[in-house]
Amino acid sequence: MSNTEFPDDELRHEQEFIDGLYARVDALRGDTESAVTDALAQGHTPMQARLERDILVAERSGLLAALNAVDGSLCFGRLDLASGDVHHIGRVGLRADDAERTPVLIDWRAEVARPFYLATGHTPMGLRRRRHIASEGRRVTALHDEILDLGDETRTGHEDPSGDAVLLAALNSARTGRMGDIVQTIQADQDRIIRAPHRGVLVVEGGPGTGKTAVALHRAAYLLYEHRELLAKRAVLIVGPNPAFLGYIGEVLPALGETGVLLATVGELFPGVKATATDTPEAAAVKGRAGMADVLAEVVRARQALPDPVIAIEHDREVLMLDDGLVSVARERTRAAELPHNVAREHFEGHILNTLTELYAERIGTDPYDGSSLLDAADLTQIRDELAENPEVWSAIDRLWPRITPQRLVADFLAAPEEFLPAEDAAAVRRPVTRRWTVADVPLLDEAAELLGEDDRMARLRAAREREAQIAYAQGVLDVSYASRTYEFEDKDEEDSEVLSAHDIIDAERFAERQEEDDHRSAAERAAADRTWAFGHIIVDEAQELSPMAWRLLMRRCPTRSMTLVGDPAQTAEAAGVGSWSEILAPYVEDRYEHTRLGVNYRTPAEIMELAAAVVRAEHPDFEPPSSVRSTGVRPWVRHAGDDLPGAVAKAVAELTPEEGRLAVIAPRALHQRIAARLDGVTAGAEPDLTRTVVLLDPRQSKGLEFDSVLVVEPGRYGTSDLYVALTRATQRLGILHTEPLPEALADA
């Protein structure tokens, strides 16, 4: 940068530093792209160095993704220490090429960077000055200096007396439809949560706008940094309330250089199933109860049938009768093993074959005079083997102890639940057999999978056969290699012919092992496809909304109970939601969990928060909302829409739509088609594109999201929790339209 562009020495200095950082990043990016291109261009065959090439591509591509993600605002701060040292703080760490690998840019998660978030004039933590560097892309636009050593009289002309300029600028900036990271503005109470110990359950409670979600995401990034070896293998799972929310937060972790995290809703946590259907609130409440685990166990037991009254099996011109007494003994012995249903089937098969062997032996091998057996052990083994080849035997076993998939078990149960549920509950959940699943079905499928298990005998047999085929193929390759070597050296002298070949140093079995296809998917990708995967850490957003059955699913995914749960009981809206931390956690960790609360609202202006709090206080007089850090001077308005509600919505949208930023129209789902018909570019019935200027949502779709302006339509149709959520999504302006009677708190407003 020239002196004309940056007459200020401090700005010029920081710009030159950041230009140097980006030069280094560009070089790394070029090296990475070149390495990936070269590796892909080599075209190695499977029998050569394919695995090494694939590993290189995976590693380099991961680095390239991280470099691309952090392209904006790579460096955002500087620490001037009392010792005279200076540390620049950024989204990722970079080192020099010298022998000592000197840090050039400090990762925000490093311990040495912590004073950037915690130091105060009272506790300067060894700092003389803290600098916030504002930028647009690669260009430095402003500096904000905080003096922490009040005895230091040096001034730069960029001092920020309040220390809040960067925070307020971030809070007032236009929204983009995607959540941004908060590494530049992490507050001290948030930093303590982000860096809390990895083990155990941490509950982070906070009202709207307190930064719960941002804190949880930055905690994920911090844990991956601090416990890289463990969590890179086991992965981190982040559970969100809906797909729109996951899209909203999806760029935060990549911007912090972390790409190996699995983001999913509960409806996506059973491999091969994606919940696309919708339950009624009554059905979701019934399916979510903890007692459904016992109900499904009974459903499984009911599939372990008895003959009615007998099953006749013809074998070698004899008819063997399996009655309920004989089968009952086999069933109880099998159940005594306490194995999952499909796994236990092998035991049941053995008991039935033994029973039929005894019946047949009595028919053909009993001395008519003294009743003694005429058959020895070898005879009995032969009879059992012959019975095992009788299709009628396996038909009987399939009727008495069938192999069942989780999907079949749950679908059949929901089609005819009367045998297992009270009449009212059965009526709520009953539906025809379908291939479409709801979010509340997924925990049932997972519970069913636990109860059923998987009979893997056929899979093991297939694997053994594939292994034999691989060894045979490898042997063929070695034989060709040996024949080629023999031909090559047959005309050469004895010394040359003694050169070792592949045949001399490796056998076919070991060669086959080396050529087996390794799984180069990331831990997160492998976890997404494996229902039994145990995650290293789980973060749950809007945790108060999950049902007891959903918690059973999640606890199975994390046996170590290393979890961060964020939510707000005051925003509980789902019929199956628990809403109480003790109720959620007592069955799993009793009272052994940490609880902390965020009490500062960074999103919602005081004028809007006052109105939203009044709505909750009408039902809960003792309710205390989080305190807002700012006031805009713009009060929310409430209007009657007249006879044309969609037309009134269109006019209000024109009034509220910001020049920059986003507007959300939050309305009951039943009104979406009529409203969308009057708004250009707005659609109903699909997952909303939050990057559009105007989006149409219902209250529950808006959970965890924020917009510059919000229009709430027909608030009288919402429950208290849903209305509280809808009213607290705006960062600047709020309007309310109605034709129906208003809730009391809004009528007073």
Side-chain angles (χ1 to χ4, degrees):
M1 294 294 172
S2 70
N3 292 348
T4 303
E5 292 178 274
F6 280 103
D8 184 296
D9 288 341
E10 293 291 332
L11 278 169
R12 184 188 309 110
H13 172 77
E14 296 298 355
Q15 184 65 62
E16 289 172 352
F17 174 80
I18 289 177
D19 285 343
L21 284 181
Y22 277 110
R24 179 166 181 75
V25 168
D26 289 341
L28 284 170
R29 181 180 288 112
D31 290 345
T32 301
E33 291 174 339
S34 175
V36 172
T37 301
D38 290 348
L40 291 173
Q42 289 174 22
H44 293 310
T45 65
M47 300 307 290
Q48 293 175 314
R50 181 195 60 214
L51 299 185
E52 287 81 355
R53 180 204 66 190
D54 290 347
I55 292 171
L56 173 65
V57 170
E59 290 177 347
R60 295 285 191 168
S61 296
L63 176 59
L64 183 59
L67 291 176
N68 287 336
V70 300
D71 201 33
S73 308
L74 182 61
C75 173
F76 55 80
R78 191 179 89 178
L79 299 178
D80 292 7
L81 279 64
S83 64
D85 293 335
V86 172
H87 297 317
H88 280 86
I89 311 299
R91 284 174 168 76
V92 297
L94 290 173
R95 293 180 177 272
D97 291 328
D98 56 29
E100 291 76 22
R101 300 285 292 159
T102 306
V104 176
L105 185 66
I106 304 295
D107 192 299
W108 67 275
R109 296 166 289 189
E111 188 63 24
V112 71
R114 201 166 189 192
F116 188 79
Y117 304 110
L118 299 183
T120 65
H122 184 266
T123 309
M125 301 179 69
L127 296 188
R128 181 174 61 86
R129 179 192 310 272
R130 171 170 48 212
R131 167 170 290 177
H132 295 265
I133 302 172
S135 61
E136 294 178 0
R138 302 187 178 199
R139 182 182 177 86
V140 176
T141 57
L143 305 178
H144 302 276
D145 287 342
E146 296 177 67
I147 305 300
L148 298 175
D149 179 1
L150 300 181
D152 184 352
E153 298 181 356
T154 303
R155 296 294 181 266
T156 65
H158 297 281
E159 281 71 29
D160 174 13
S162 69
D164 292 332
V166 175
L167 174 61
L168 291 176
L171 298 180
N172 288 314
S173 63
R175 270 44 190 171
T176 65
R178 292 288 183 262
M179 175 181 277
D181 66 65
I182 60 168
V183 289
Q184 292 174 268
T185 59
I186 292 172
Q187 303 300 292
D189 57 342
Q190 297 172 330
D191 183 81
R192 283 188 283 271
I193 295 170
I194 289 169
R195 298 173 190 262
H198 166 232
R199 296 294 182 183
V201 177
L202 174 65
V203 174
V204 183
E205 183 178 327
T210 54
K212 303 182 300 296
T213 298
V215 167
L217 294 172
H218 288 71
R219 176 162 170 74
Y222 171 76
L223 292 176
L224 285 162
Y225 173 85
E226 191 70 10
H227 306 281
R228 178 73 63 189
E229 184 175 352
L230 170 64
L231 296 183
K233 293 178 181 177
R234 302 310 317 162
V236 173
L237 170 65
I238 297 178
V239 180
N242 55 60
F245 175 84
L246 294 181
Y248 176 66
I249 68 172
E251 296 177 2
V252 174
L253 287 169
L256 299 175
E258 300 295 347
T259 57
V261 176
L262 176 62
L263 278 67
T265 65
V266 170
E268 297 168 325
L269 289 178
F270 192 90
V273 167
K274 186 171 183 179
T276 57
T278 303
D279 271 318
T280 64
E282 295 77 16
V286 173
K287 293 176 182 180
R289 293 173 189 162
M292 285 301 299
D294 295 330
V295 170
L296 288 176
E298 284 303 311
V299 174
V300 172
R301 289 174 69 88
R303 300 296 290 270
Q304 298 163 0
L306 296 175
D308 183 23
V310 296
I311 297 177
I313 297 173
E314 184 176 349
H315 183 71
D316 197 20
R317 297 187 299 277
E318 297 286 343
V319 178
L320 308 177
M321 309 297 287
L322 276 176
D323 59 30
D324 60 353
L326 293 172
V327 175
S328 179
V329 171
R331 184 174 71 172
E332 293 311 310
R333 288 177 177 172
T334 302
R335 286 175 173 175
E338 297 184 345
L339 295 171
H341 172 88
N342 289 333
V343 178
R345 176 179 157 118
E346 184 175 1
H347 293 255
F348 184 76
E349 293 168 1
H351 291 308
I352 293 298
L353 285 170
N354 290 341
T355 298
L356 292 172
T357 299
E358 291 172 6
L359 290 175
Y360 188 75
E362 288 177 4
R363 295 277 185 89
I364 69 167
T366 302
D367 190 312
Y369 298 104
D370 59 13
S372 62
S373 176
L374 302 176
L375 304 175
D376 58 19
D379 295 326
L380 295 175
T381 299
Q382 182 178 350
I383 292 171
R384 192 180 190 280
D385 291 344
E386 291 171 352
L387 283 165
E389 296 179 359
N390 186 335
E392 291 190 25
V393 172
W394 294 107
S395 176
I397 291 173
D398 287 339
R399 289 168 57 187
L400 299 171
W401 199 287
R403 292 186 181 91
I404 318 171
T405 66
Q407 290 90 329
R408 172 52 59 188
L409 185 83
V410 173
D412 289 349
F413 160 65
L414 294 176
E418 296 79 8
E419 181 182 348
F420 306 99
L421 293 175
E424 185 177 354
D425 292 347
V429 303
R430 186 188 304 110
R431 70 172 186 227
V433 174
T434 176
R435 294 183 179 180
R436 297 184 67 212
W437 302 99
T438 69
V439 171
D441 291 335
V442 168
L444 301 186
L445 291 168
D446 197 72
E447 189 74 29
E450 286 291 305
L451 293 167
L452 295 171
E454 184 176 354
D455 185 351
D456 65 349
R457 284 176 290 172
M458 292 304 295
R460 284 188 278 117
L461 180 60
R462 284 195 300 271
R465 289 175 177 169
E466 290 173 2
R467 174 71 176 156
E468 291 175 359
Q470 289 171 346
I471 293 173
Y473 175 75
Q475 184 63 59
V477 172
L478 290 174
D479 289 345
V480 170
S481 171
Y482 180 73
S484 299
R485 173 184 173 274
T486 302
Y487 175 79
E488 181 181 353
F489 286 108
E490 63 182 5
D491 293 330
K492 299 192 177 214
D493 60 31
E494 183 177 347
E495 182 178 348
D496 286 340
S497 66
E498 291 179 358
V499 176
L500 291 176
S501 71
H503 235 295
D504 300 314
I505 59 177
I506 193 169
D507 59 20
E509 186 170 356
R510 179 60 181 155
F511 190 46
E513 289 178 4
R514 289 191 176 184
Q515 306 312 316
E516 287 177 358
E517 187 71 40
D518 284 359
D519 190 345
H520 297 311
R521 294 174 299 171
S522 69
E525 291 169 331
R526 285 182 282 123
D530 184 354
R531 191 194 68 82
T532 64
W533 189 273
F535 287 92
H537 193 82
I538 293 181
I539 292 174
V540 185
D541 205 309
E542 302 292 352
Q544 76 280 351
E545 302 289 7
L546 270 59
S547 70
M549 287 300 292
W551 283 112
R552 287 177 65 87
L553 179 156
L554 288 179
M555 291 298 175
R556 280 194 285 268
R557 300 294 196 276
C558 192
T560 61
R561 305 293 188 258
S562 178
M563 310 179 84
T564 301
L565 315 181
V566 298
D568 179 15
Q571 297 183 62
T572 305
E574 295 293 341
V578 179
S580 163
W581 303 120
S582 59
E583 288 182 61
I584 290 170
L585 295 170
Y588 306 102
V589 296
E590 298 179 344
D591 61 352
R592 300 186 303 277
Y593 62 91
E594 296 293 325
H595 179 275
T596 187
R597 182 172 178 82
L598 293 168
V600 178
N601 186 333
Y602 299 100
R603 174 203 304 142
T604 316
E607 295 84 356
I608 296 176
M609 199 64 218
E610 180 183 348
L611 180 64
V615 169
V616 181
R617 286 199 185 105
E619 188 172 319
H620 304 286
D622 296 333
F623 174 71
E624 286 296 330
S627 58
S628 297
V629 299
R630 64 196 177 99
S631 173
T632 61
V634 180
R635 299 195 63 80
W637 52 257
V638 181
R639 297 176 188 164
H640 193 282
D643 297 332
D644 181 11
L645 177 62
V649 169
K651 290 181 181 178
V653 165
E655 174 186 340
L656 288 171
T657 300
E659 292 184 10
E660 294 184 21
R662 301 293 180 270
L663 164 69
V665 178
I666 302 178
R669 184 61 66 92
L671 299 177
H672 280 201
Q673 292 288 351
R674 292 173 56 201
I675 291 173
R678 301 291 290 273
L679 299 176
D680 292 338
V682 175
T683 58
E687 287 296 336
D689 179 0
L690 299 177
T691 64
R692 299 186 70 88
T693 302
V694 180
V695 294
L696 179 60
L697 309 168
D698 65 35
R700 297 187 189 182
Q701 286 179 307
S702 73
K703 272 185 172 293
L705 308 180
E706 62 182 22
F707 305 88
D708 299 88
S709 301
V710 170
L711 177 65
V712 176
V713 181
E714 294 293 20
R717 296 193 189 185
Y718 306 158
T720 299
S721 294
D722 281 339
L723 182 53
Y724 182 54
V725 169
L727 294 175
T728 54
R729 300 304 98 194
T731 66
Q732 302 293 338
R733 302 170 69 195
L734 171 67
I736 300 170
L737 278 178
H738 70 101
T739 61
E740 301 171 5
L742 289 167
E744 181 180 351
L746 295 184
D748 292 342

